Every structure is written in structure tokens, then in C-alpha cells.
């Protein structure tokens, strides 16, 4: 579906690929998650290079310092978004249109033998991917929009940009399908375990702690791309840092173990040596089953080995707050996205071209520094492109990492002369899930996306974080708060660690919720909340810790958010 005008001399090309979220969500391993995001970035980086080679210019985003496009610098994760904007002219339009018709097929043809070779080398088995099935899955589409005037004003250029975006949204809603050659259903024992939609072409017979209930893991041609892409990564681009090594987690159990590893790395030799001895014993006992340290530490078949060691490290280092996670294995997934970009560009329509160019360069600068911030907080970057940042991290480091990313993002626009007048609009919102290490990764990815879209982005003023805390498989707590309140959440956590406040306090506030909300005077509300937390209506003397806690809780506004903030910080301070 293309709309063009042969009389126009310049054109705006928008290319898009999908289905991103559907492909990325169906993952069982953190390595799958990294590779699925990387694959779409690889497709679009190749599109950018091939279209530019025909004389077009990338208009958005700024890619001149992107290592996936330039081939210079380390590639930590996918960094090219699923939508690209180009400027074309009448001379190269038709050549580019012809190129786009087969560009994804050509890239898949290049990747296919490399993935097959990676499977053969790792599994000692020859597997052939179904190229037709792979090509049918990826939905690459584009529009070519004519720019009416040879020399449009900034406002006219902005209007053309908005019209082109309207067309690509219309095109995204339409996907032509070829008639299927077979209508036969797939037997359930032949379905892919990752997506559940396509027929397996490969089985993995190894059983590890992530496949407890599977005798084999069945994978289709499409999902094989993400499963074995890390093994083929170096053959695709020598600058890729595959997802292995420090803070490149093999499993959600490894994320859960991170605070404990931090303590071990700073502990004495006795603690380190004893831990390493138990890990080596686990490796010897597991024989051909290749598990990671986190899986050994938390797996029911091995964790009893560490019982005495756990007691010893707690006795030796009682001040280490990270040790509260010893028997609480959790991990977190975070989706972050820029706020208000459409509103800002609309307000700057009278200076559209230079403004969007500067904004794009600042975004690129921010994204190039994201991996260091996330790694400094013991997280692993999954994707950083466009206005989006995705990463996995332990809940212990979650708030600090989100806070630093938000501040760094805003600071870039505050310091720049052209953007500083609108700097308060350049914020990041985050959606996150913190859950038990055995909680399904695919569902965690889905819920993190929901928390961003349906909670953080709908918070008044945006610039918000929405966290879903899942203690079991069903017990959920959703907390949404302004990013300006992150400091208060951290202080509240410190208050709870230092005080002996009853763990029933949130439930007692809930019991008094109706009456509490009836009180409109701020001072009276504070006094009433104080008496609830203190556990008596006539405390004989003021407790400074409770007073500080009351002030912090009141800063969250409504009663429901206050209760959720208290429950969340109790969890973060060590409450089961």
C-alpha cells in the first residue's frame, strides 16, 4: 500500500517491521529475550545501510554513531528501532522501492545458513530452517509520501511529517496474507514450545531447571532464529558482545542471585572458597546438564548444599542488606519510554527540522550511554533504540537504576540551548514487574509492557513508574508513582529497615481507609495516620521515625497509593 506522486521531487519514506512484541514476548530464556530484540534491530540496521547506499538519507532516528549501522564500536544489544524515516528524491525513489520489496527476504537468506551452522556446531545435528515460514512471519512494510513543495517551511515540513505518520499507521493496520498451502492442524506434541503457533523443526533433549516439565523442548524455524542467534552473533558482526559474561544473565535465577554474588565478591576467602566448592560439586553431580550458578543455588536438587553456608555468611556480615534476598529469589524486567515527544514537536513546528535533528542526536547520545548505567546497577540491557530502553535487573537495584536513567535523560535536554526551554517535557516513564525467579519470562515481559502502557503512561503528567510486584503466581500488587517520588520510596524503605513497625500496618490502614479519606484537613489526616501506625490513639510521646514515615506516606497522595507504597517498600526491605 503505497501513495506516491510522480510530480513531487522529494519524498518521505517510512519503513516499519513487526510483529515485535509478539516475537519478543515468546521467550523462555533471558538469552532468547536479548536475541529476539537484537534480531529486529539487525533487520532495520541492514535496511538503513542498503537504502542509504542507494542515495537516500536517514531522517530519523540519528544513526551516524550507532555501532549496528556504522560497524564501529561494541554492540551490547539491539539499538535500531522498528521504524525508520528516510528522505528520498525523484532520482532514487524507484530503485529504493524495488530494493524494499525483497530486502527482508535477502537478509533472511543471509542469516539462515549462519543459524543452521550454529545449531550444527552446538547440537551436533543438522537442522534446516523453513525459509518460507520465516519470511511469512516477519511483516515489513513502508509508505512513500510526496513532499508537496520543493522548499517547504518548517511548519509545512511538520505537516508533511504528521501526514506520513498517519499513512504508516493506516498501513500497519493492514497485512496481506498468502493463501496457506495446507489447512492441516498441528498436533500438540509437534507444536513449538516457545510460540505455540508453528510446527517444530528441532528438538532439544537436554533437560535443565528451566525445562522441568518438558522431556524435550520443541522449537520452530522462526523461534530458532532467537534461540541460536547469540551463537551466530560473532559471525554476523564481529563487534557484537554476545549475552555471556558479567551481568549477561543466562537465566532469571542468575538475576535473582546477583545481590548475593555482590556480597560474595566482597567477602573473605573462606566464604568465597566454600561457595565455589559447592558450585563445583553441583557441576560434577549434574553431569551433562549444563546449569548456571543461579540455577544451582536455587534448584531444589542442589540448594540444600548451601544451607550451612547461608547461615555462615549472614553471621559474618549481618550489616549486608543484600543478604535479605538469600531465600527470596526475584528478578525484574523494565520497559522505559520517552514522554511527550509528539506534544513537544507540535509546539516547535515553526522550527521543526533543526529541532527534531537536535532531539534525535541527543537521544542517540543518551542511548549510547545507557548500557554503562544499567551495568553499573548490575542489570543487563536488552534493547536501547528510538525512545525505548528495555533491561533486566534485580529488584534491589531497580529504583536507583530507573532514577539515574531518568535524570541522565532529562539532563541532556536541560543543558542543550535549543531544547532547554522544553526540558521539563523530556522525561522517561517506566513499566516494571518484579517477580519470583520461576515466574514465566514470557508473562513477565507481557506484564511489564502493560505496566508501562496502561499505568505509567496514564499517570497524570507522565514522568512516572508503574511496578507490578508478584510474590507468588497470583498475588499481585500494582504501584504507580511519579518519578519525583523515587527518593521518598527509598527513604521509606530505610525507615522500615531501622524501625520495628508492625508488618500488619498496611492492613490496619486499609481497615481505616474509609474514615481516613473522609478527613480533608491535611494536619488531621497526618495525626490520624500517625495513630494508626503507632498502634494507639493516645501515644504518650512522639516517635520521630513514625513521624518521618507519616510524612513520606502522605507525599504519595491518595490512600491506595500510600498503602501500595508501604507494601512495596516492606517487600524491598526484606518482608516475605
Amino acid at each position: 500500500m503505497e501513495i506516491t506522486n510522480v510530480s513531487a521531487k522529494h519524498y518521505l519514506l517510512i519503513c516499519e517491521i513487526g510483529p515485535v512484541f509478539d516475537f519478543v514476548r515468546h521467550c523462555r530464556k533471558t538469552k532468547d529475550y536479548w536475541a529476539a530484540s537484537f534480531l529486529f534491530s539487525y533487520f532495520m540496521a541492514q535496511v538503513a545501510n542498503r537504502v542509504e547506499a542507494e542515495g537516500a538519507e536517514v531522517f530519523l532516528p540519528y544513526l551516524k554513531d550507532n555501532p549496528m549501522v556504522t560497524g564501529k564500536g561494541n554492540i551490547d544489544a539491539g539499538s535500531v528501532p522498528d521504524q525508520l524515516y528516510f528522505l528520498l528524491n525523484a532520482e532514487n525513489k524507484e530503485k529504493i522501492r524495488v530494493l524494499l520489496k525483497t530486502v527482508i527476504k535477502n537478509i533472511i537468506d543471509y542469516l539462515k545458513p549462519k543459524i543452521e551452522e550454529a545449531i550444527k556446531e552446538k547440537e551436533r545435528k543438522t537442522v534446516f530452517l523453513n525459509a518460507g515460514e520465516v519470511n511469512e512471519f516477519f511483516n515489513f512494510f513502508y509508505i512513500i509520501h510526496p513532499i508537496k513543495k520543493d522548499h517547504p517551511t518548517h511548519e509545512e515540513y511538520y505537516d508533511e511529517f504528521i501526514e506520513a505518520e498517519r499513512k504508516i499507521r493506516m498501513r500497519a493496520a493492514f497485512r496481506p496474507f498468502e493463501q496457506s498451502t495446507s489447512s492441516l492442524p498441528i498436533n500438540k506434541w509437534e507444536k513449538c514450545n516457545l510460540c505455540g503457533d508453528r510446527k517444530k523443526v528441532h528438538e532439544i533433549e537436554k533437560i535443565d531447571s528451566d525445562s522441568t516439565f518438558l522431556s524435550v523442548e520443541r522449537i520452530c524455524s522462526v523461534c530458532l532464529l532467537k534461540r541460536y542467534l547469540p551463537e551466530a552473533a560473532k559471525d554476523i558482526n564481529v563487534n557484537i558482545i554476545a549475552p555471556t559474561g558479567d551481568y549477561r544473565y543466562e537465566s532469571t535465577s542468575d538475576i535473582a542471585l546477583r545481590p548475593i554474588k555482590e556480597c560474595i565478591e566482597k567477602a573473605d576467602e573462606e566464604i568465597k572458597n566454600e561457595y565455589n566448592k559447592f558450585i563445583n560439586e553441583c557441576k560434577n553431580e549434574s553431569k551433562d546438564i549444563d546449569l548456571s550458578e543461579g540455577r544451582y543455588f536455587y534448584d531444589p536438587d542442589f540448594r540444600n548444599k548451601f544451607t550451612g553456608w547461608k547461615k555462615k555468611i549472614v553471621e559474618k556480615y549481618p550489616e549486608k542488606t543484600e543478604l535479605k534476598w538469600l531465600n527470596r529469589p526475584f528478578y525484574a524486567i523494565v520497559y522505559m519510554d520517552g514522554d511527550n515527544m509528539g506534544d513537544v514537536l507540535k509546539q516547535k513546528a515553526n522550527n521543526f527540522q533543526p529541532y527534531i535533528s537536535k532531539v534525535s542526536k541527543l537521544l542517540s547520545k543518551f542511548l549510547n550511554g545507557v548500557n554503562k548505567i544499567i551495568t553499573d546497577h548490575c542489570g543487563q540491557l536488552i534493547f536501547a533504540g528510538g525512545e525505548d530502553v528495555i533491561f533486566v535487573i534485580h529488584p534491589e537495584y531497580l529504583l536507583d537504576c530507573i532514577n539515574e536513567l531518568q535524570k541522565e535523560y532529562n539532563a541532556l535536554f536541560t543543558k542543550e540551548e535549543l531544547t532547554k526551554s522544553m526540558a521539563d517535557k523530556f522525561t522517561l516513564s517506566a513499566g516494571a514487574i518484579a517477580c519470583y525467579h520461576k515466574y514465566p519470562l514470557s508473562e513477565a515481559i507481557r506484564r511489564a509492557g502493560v505496566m508501562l502502557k496502561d499505568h505509567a503512561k496514564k499517570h497524570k503528567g507522565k514522568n512516572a513508574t508503574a511496578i507490578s510486584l508478584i510474590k507468588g503466581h497470583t498475588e499481585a500488587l500494582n504501584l504507580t508513582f511519579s518519578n519525583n517520588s523515587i527518593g521518598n520510596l527509598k527513604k521509606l524503605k530505610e525507615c522500615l529497615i531501622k524501625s520495628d513497625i508492625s508488618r500488619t500496618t498496611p492492613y490496619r490502614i486499609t481497615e481505616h481507609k474509609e474514615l481516613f479519606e473522609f478527613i480533608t484537613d491535611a494536619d488531621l489526616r497526618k495525626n490520624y495516620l500517625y495513630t494508626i501506625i503507632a498502634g494507639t490513639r493516645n501515644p504518650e510521646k512522639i516517635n520521630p521515625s513514625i513521624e518521618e514515615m507519616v510524612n513520606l506516606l502522605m507525599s504519595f497522595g491518595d490512600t491506595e497509593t500510600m498503602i501500595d507504597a508501604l507494601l512495596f517498600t516492606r517487600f524491598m526491605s526484606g518482608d516475605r
Side-chain angles (χ1 to χ4, degrees), residues 259-260 262-263 313-314 317-326 328 394 396-397 493-494 497-498 571-574:
I260 315 307
E262 286 284 290
C263 293
I313 193 172
V314 170
Y317 302 100
E319 77 286 356
K320 294 288 186 183
T321 57
E322 295 91 342
L323 292 177
K324 64 180 177 288
W325 300 103
L326 263 175
R328 300 190 313 147
H394 191 280
E396 175 74 9
Y397 316 111
K493 173 187 166 185
E494 291 165 9
I497 291 173
K498 291 184 292 185
F571 166 77
M572 292 293 288
S573 61

Side-chain angles (χ1 to χ4, degrees), residues 314-546:
V314 170
E315 289 170 359
K316 277 199 170 188
Y317 302 100
E319 77 286 356
K320 294 288 186 183
T321 57
E322 295 91 342
L323 292 177
K324 64 180 177 288
W325 300 103
L326 263 175
N327 298 304
R328 300 190 313 147
F330 280 76
Y331 73 100
I333 292 176
V334 185
Y335 275 70
M336 299 189 78
D337 182 40
D339 299 322
N340 308 309
M341 191 62 71
D343 292 340
V344 170
L345 294 179
K346 185 176 182 179
Q347 292 184 50
K348 294 295 180 180
N350 62 349
N351 194 31
F352 179 67
Q353 286 172 282
Y355 199 85
I356 197 171
S357 176
K358 176 56 68 177
V359 167
S360 187
K361 288 178 181 177
L362 290 173
L363 282 172
S364 180
K365 184 176 181 180
F366 167 72
L367 294 167
N368 285 337
V370 156
N371 186 60
K372 183 181 185 307
I373 294 173
I374 292 171
T375 302
D376 285 348
H377 292 281
C378 305
Q380 180 185 337
L381 179 65
I382 299 296
F383 174 80
E387 299 174 67
D388 301 319
V389 178
I390 305 170
F391 57 98
V392 294
I393 196 167
H394 191 280
E396 175 74 9
Y397 316 111
L398 175 65
L399 293 177
D400 284 334
C401 190
I402 289 174
N403 196 36
E404 187 172 347
L405 287 168
Q406 158 62 22
K407 286 183 175 179
E408 180 65 22
Y409 182 84
N410 183 255
L412 286 172
F413 294 97
T414 302
K415 294 173 185 175
E416 176 57 45
E417 188 66 31
L418 191 61
T419 58
K420 67 180 183 181
S421 65
M422 301 287 287
D424 62 319
K425 298 289 186 181
F426 288 102
T427 56
L428 286 172
S429 286
I433 179 173
C435 52
Y436 187 64
H437 74 130
K438 286 296 183 182
Y439 192 78
L441 180 60
S442 60
E443 180 60 13
I445 293 168
R446 186 193 70 80
R447 291 189 73 146
V450 167
M451 294 307 294
L452 174 62
K453 180 183 175 183
D454 294 345
H455 295 266
K457 285 292 187 179
K458 292 182 179 178
H459 188 268
K460 186 178 179 180
K462 299 183 180 177
N463 186 26
T465 293
I467 301 173
S468 181
L469 170 62
I470 303 178
K471 290 187 178 181
H473 281 276
T474 56
E475 185 185 354
L477 159 73
N478 292 342
L479 171 65
T480 304
F481 53 91
S482 166
N483 287 330
N484 297 325
S485 298
I486 289 178
N488 284 349
L489 265 181
K490 292 170 62 180
K491 288 177 184 176
L492 187 58
K493 173 187 166 185
E494 291 165 9
C495 277
L496 290 170
I497 291 173
K498 291 184 292 185
S499 70
D500 58 352
I501 301 299
S502 168
R503 67 193 304 270
T504 65
T505 299
Y507 309 104
R508 285 192 284 115
I509 297 174
T510 302
E511 288 175 0
H512 293 264
K513 180 181 175 183
E514 188 174 344
L515 180 57
F516 184 75
E517 291 180 338
F518 183 77
I519 303 170
T520 56
D521 183 84
D523 290 334
L524 290 176
R525 284 168 66 89
K526 280 186 180 181
N527 290 340
Y528 191 62
L529 182 59
Y530 183 95
T531 60
I532 295 171
I533 296 174
T536 172
R537 293 192 177 278
N538 298 295
E540 293 182 0
K541 67 176 185 177
I542 297 299
N543 185 321
S545 295
I546 297 179

Side-chain angles (χ1 to χ4, degrees), residues 183-383:
S183 59
L184 293 176
I186 304 171
N187 295 318
K188 64 180 181 180
W189 57 86
E190 292 183 308
K191 285 186 177 182
C192 173
N193 290 130
L194 269 68
C195 66
D197 296 328
R198 292 171 293 275
K199 190 174 181 178
K200 67 169 186 180
V201 295
H202 177 50
E203 290 185 348
I204 300 175
E205 296 179 357
K206 283 185 178 180
I207 300 180
D208 59 31
S209 61
D210 274 358
S211 331
T212 307
F213 302 107
L214 297 172
S215 56
V216 292
E217 187 178 23
R218 302 179 294 270
I219 309 182
C220 68
S221 293
V222 174
C223 292
L224 279 173
L225 288 174
K226 58 189 167 191
R227 175 55 58 88
Y228 289 94
L229 183 63
E231 282 75 20
K234 286 291 182 184
D235 197 26
I236 294 168
N237 190 315
V238 295
N239 296 320
I240 293 174
I241 301 176
T244 56
D246 287 347
Y247 308 151
R248 298 185 181 276
Y249 302 106
E250 289 188 29
S251 73
T252 53
S253 300
D254 293 310
I255 305 171
L257 185 64
R258 190 61 236 171
I260 315 307
K261 288 283 288 182
E262 286 284 290
C263 293
I264 294 169
E265 288 164 10
K266 298 171 185 176
D268 60 34
E269 291 303 311
E270 181 186 5
I271 291 291
K272 289 179 182 176
N273 292 337
E274 194 169 342
Y275 172 81
N276 290 329
K277 183 187 84 170
F278 291 137
I279 291 294
N280 288 329
E281 285 180 9
C282 292
K283 288 179 179 179
N284 292 332
E285 290 178 25
S286 63
K287 297 178 183 178
D288 296 331
I289 302 174
D290 184 19
L291 304 183
S292 59
E293 285 189 27
R295 294 171 185 169
Y296 287 131
F297 197 79
Y298 294 115
D299 190 280
D301 293 332
F302 298 107
R303 65 188 177 201
N304 289 339
K305 285 182 177 291
F306 299 90
T307 302
W309 178 87
K310 287 179 183 180
K311 291 179 181 177
K312 185 180 291 186
I313 193 172
V314 170
E315 289 170 359
K316 277 199 170 188
Y317 302 100
E319 77 286 356
K320 294 288 186 183
T321 57
E322 295 91 342
L323 292 177
K324 64 180 177 288
W325 300 103
L326 263 175
N327 298 304
R328 300 190 313 147
F330 280 76
Y331 73 100
I333 292 176
V334 185
Y335 275 70
M336 299 189 78
D337 182 40
D339 299 322
N340 308 309
M341 191 62 71
D343 292 340
V344 170
L345 294 179
K346 185 176 182 179
Q347 292 184 50
K348 294 295 180 180
N350 62 349
N351 194 31
F352 179 67
Q353 286 172 282
Y355 199 85
I356 197 171
S357 176
K358 176 56 68 177
V359 167
S360 187
K361 288 178 181 177
L362 290 173
L363 282 172
S364 180
K365 184 176 181 180
F366 167 72
L367 294 167
N368 285 337
V370 156
N371 186 60
K372 183 181 185 307
I373 294 173
I374 292 171
T375 302
D376 285 348
H377 292 281
C378 305
Q380 180 185 337
L381 179 65
I382 299 296
F383 174 80

Side-chain angles (χ1 to χ4, degrees), residues 145-207:
H145 172 76
I147 298 174
K148 296 181 180 67
K149 294 185 178 180
D150 290 348
H151 302 287
T153 64
H154 289 303
E155 287 92 343
E156 290 169 337
Y157 201 1
Y158 171 76
D159 290 340
E160 299 285 9
F161 177 79
I162 295 301
E163 177 61 15
E165 285 199 322
R166 184 188 69 81
K167 290 177 181 177
I168 197 67
R169 284 196 298 271
M170 290 174 60
R171 176 60 183 83
F174 168 75
R175 181 176 183 183
F177 287 91
E178 294 183 7
Q179 185 66 37
S180 175
T181 56
S182 173
S183 59
L184 293 176
I186 304 171
N187 295 318
K188 64 180 181 180
W189 57 86
E190 292 183 308
K191 285 186 177 182
C192 173
N193 290 130
L194 269 68
C195 66
D197 296 328
R198 292 171 293 275
K199 190 174 181 178
K200 67 169 186 180
V201 295
H202 177 50
E203 290 185 348
I204 300 175
E205 296 179 357
K206 283 185 178 180
I207 300 180

